Amino acid sequence: MLLGHRLKQRFGLARLLGVNDRGQEDFSAPTVHACRYEGSTKRLVTSDGTDATSEAMLFTKVKVEPGDALWLPGDTPGDLNTRRRPLRITPCTDIRGGTDHYEVYV
């Protein structure tokens, strides 16, 4: 991994398990993973085609899905007041063509 030695921070991740007939989302218990966190404001187009403003980017080896819940370094995983959603997830490849890491905009 190109960034392995730089993944010194931690973020929380709860997987979206499903949505019931009332639109209520069900998530897995939050888990903590290594990342590199960079705070920077950037305008981007989300996966559904809408414009959004990203406040930070996470570099991580963990695959993140669009519906998942995230907690940035310093936030308490599971706290609904600080939960965020990924705006865009970009897989980055290594020199062999395999997935090296993910860039997650939040």
Side-chain angles (χ1 to χ4, degrees), residues 6 17 21 32 44 54 59 81 86:
R6 296 186 180 171
L17 300 175
D21 55 354
V32 177
L44 53 90
S54 170
F59 298 88
N81 294 321

Side-chain angles (χ1 to χ4, degrees), residues 33-48:
H33 302 277
C35 74
R36 185 178 90 203
Y37 170 81
E38 287 184 4
S40 65
T41 303
K42 182 176 183 177
R43 190 166 178 204
L44 53 90
V45 177
T46 63
S47 57
D48 67 2

Side-chain angles (χ1 to χ4, degrees), residues 25-83:
E25 298 169 316
D26 185 29
F27 291 93
S28 67
T31 54
V32 177
H33 302 277
C35 74
R36 185 178 90 203
Y37 170 81
E38 287 184 4
S40 65
T41 303
K42 182 176 183 177
R43 190 166 178 204
L44 53 90
V45 177
T46 63
S47 57
D48 67 2
T50 59
D51 286 339
T53 301
S54 170
E55 297 175 5
M57 186 179 355
L58 298 173
F59 298 88
T60 182
K61 295 273 297 170
V62 178
K63 184 175 184 180
V64 176
E65 300 288 339
D68 292 343
L70 303 173
W71 289 269
L72 299 180
D75 291 342
T76 303
D79 181 352
L80 296 180
N81 294 321
T82 58
R83 177 178 70 181

Side-chain angles (χ1 to χ4, degrees), residues 2-20:
L2 298 174
L3 299 170
H5 64 288
R6 296 186 180 171
L7 302 180
K8 298 182 187 256
Q9 295 161 301
R10 302 281 181 261
F11 77 103
L13 172 66
R15 301 274 182 204
L16 177 63
L17 300 175
V19 180
N20 68 18

